[in-house]
Amino acid sequence: MTNPFTAFSGAAFLLLAATTTTAAQDTPDFHMDCHAARTNNETFICSDEDLLRRDAQLGELSDRLYSFLDAQGKAEMAREYAEWLATRDDCEDSYMCNASMYSERITFLQEELDHMDAPGFAAPATPSVGADGFGMVANAGIPGHNQESFPGMTLDICKSICVQRPWCKSIDFDRTNGACYVQPVAQEDVGSLRTDYPGNPYDHYFYAPRLRN
């Protein structure tokens, strides 16, 4: 899927707030409000724990980036976000489509934040862990440690496969075809995740109850 924000990803509009703002602006709400879901796709997202986790990560990154922008940058980001929401709703209750939209947008925001040499900028927070015990790192994976692989799985089944194997500490899930890669290691064992796979098809899920930290 083509990232609808590639055309807007230049750092030119991402200016630190160093000038006086000309008018007060309402801060966009970058977080899903499931009590006020407006579309069928928003209702679908609210019913899926993984998509909600992605939405929370996107909201956190968006809030952080927005706080560094001047008035012009804030207005541009608000416009972009509204366009992204409209494109996301075209996913029409498709998990794969929504997951790809979130992953691409999260990567875009992370790259913009990485390019900003802002004083006091904090590193991204540790990924949150859901009720199922899994935490997620978008667009990442661990190469060379696949103990087992299963084609055409749903994410929930892939997670269940991991839980059923006492040695499993993480999975890499291919959003494009449902391939499930089950691994006896996690980031704490290998040091870092690979984040430069062509097309970024993978999301990495670690099973927190089996990690040392």
Side-chain angles (χ1 to χ4, degrees), residues 85-104:
L85 287 177
T87 304
R88 185 200 63 188
D89 277 347
D90 289 339
C91 285
E92 290 295 332
D93 302 354
S94 165
Y95 170 81
M96 293 296 186
C97 178
N98 278 294
S100 293
M101 287 289 296
Y102 275 109
S103 292
E104 290 169 7

Side-chain angles (χ1 to χ4, degrees), residues 22-151:
T22 57
Q25 298 184 27
D26 293 333
T27 302
D29 187 355
F30 297 111
H31 301 261
M32 174 73 75
D33 181 0
C34 289
H35 295 293
R38 300 173 296 103
T39 66
N40 290 337
N41 196 53
E42 287 185 354
T43 301
F44 174 76
I45 292 169
C46 288
S47 69
D48 189 286
E49 182 180 356
D50 180 69
L51 293 177
L52 280 178
R53 193 178 308 158
R54 293 170 190 265
D55 188 85
Q57 184 180 4
L58 183 144
E60 178 184 347
L61 292 170
S62 297
D63 288 340
R64 189 178 300 153
L65 179 58
Y66 191 83
S67 70
F68 289 132
L69 304 181
D70 65 7
Q72 181 180 355
K74 284 180 167 66
E76 182 72 6
M77 184 174 177
R79 182 183 65 80
E80 286 186 6
Y81 181 65
E83 293 180 2
W84 180 84
L85 287 177
T87 304
R88 185 200 63 188
D89 277 347
D90 289 339
C91 285
E92 290 295 332
D93 302 354
S94 165
Y95 170 81
M96 293 296 186
C97 178
N98 278 294
S100 293
M101 287 289 296
Y102 275 109
S103 292
E104 290 169 7
R105 181 66 178 171
I106 286 168
T107 296
F108 165 74
L109 294 169
Q110 289 173 330
E111 289 175 349
E112 293 296 343
L113 284 166
D114 288 344
H115 292 158
M116 299 179 71
D117 187 19
F121 173 65
T126 301
S128 60
V129 176
D132 59 4
F134 283 90
M136 185 270 290
V137 181
N139 299 321
I142 297 179
H145 291 277
N146 301 326
Q147 188 80 11
E148 293 182 288
S149 62
F150 301 87

